[in-house]
Amino acid sequence: MKWLGRFLRAVAKLRFRLLGLATIKDISGERFKTLAAHLKSDGWQFSSKYEGFDAGIDYDCIRVRKGLATLKCEWDNWSEWSVEGPRRVIENIAEKNNMTVTYAWRWSEYDSNPGGA
């Protein structure tokens, strides 16, 4: 059954690359509040929020939208907040807020063998 998990993660990583996405990772709670305020003042609309029983405890997710672009803001209690979206948009946000961009899917860092096999 391990092959199924590996396959699904590989598909998610491929989707991330093919869609030209990027991520800003490891954003502290305080810094995310500031970033969210900047996004809102820049015209981004908060379109949906994770409503699970563990929201804000183990996991959280907020989607924000501006025009045709959508950003996925995820939080967990290990790595804090991340923002994922189209590369150009993420690069612009990172530059304005002095943050670092990565071109890997947020959850890729948890792969036990990132080199493959």
Side-chain angles (χ1 to χ4, degrees):
M1 205 56 152
K2 281 186 177 181
W3 64 269
L4 180 60
R6 284 190 210 148
F7 174 75
L8 293 173
R9 290 180 72 76
V11 168
K13 289 182 203 178
L14 179 62
R15 176 189 168 278
F16 190 89
R17 263 187 260 124
L18 290 175
L19 292 176
L21 301 176
T23 306
I24 302 170
K25 298 188 317 183
D26 302 322
I27 306 169
S28 71
E30 283 303 312
R31 191 141 191 221
F32 182 76
K33 286 179 189 177
T34 302
L35 177 61
H38 287 168
L39 291 174
K40 192 170 186 172
S41 70
D42 202 24
W44 290 87
Q45 300 293 316
F46 288 71
S47 60
S48 69
K49 184 168 178 14
Y50 176 68
E51 297 291 341
F53 71 93
D54 60 343
I57 299 169
D58 293 319
Y59 178 78
D60 214 341
C61 183
I62 301 169
R63 299 219 184 235
V64 294
R65 181 175 214 103
K66 183 178 182 182
L68 298 176
T70 300
L71 303 177
K72 182 179 183 181
C73 306
E74 284 185 286
W75 175 87
D76 67 62
N77 54 359
W78 293 282
S79 59
E80 300 276 347
W81 284 98
S82 69
V83 180
E84 173 186 305
R87 282 185 181 196
R88 286 190 342 253
V89 174
I90 292 295
E91 289 168 344
N92 188 359
I93 290 169
E95 184 178 327
K96 286 182 181 178
N97 294 279
N98 196 27
M99 297 174 147
T100 304
V101 176
T102 182
Y103 299 99
W105 181 46
R106 172 183 204 244
W107 301 104
S108 294
E109 68 185 59
Y110 298 108
D111 287 344
S112 59
N113 184 6

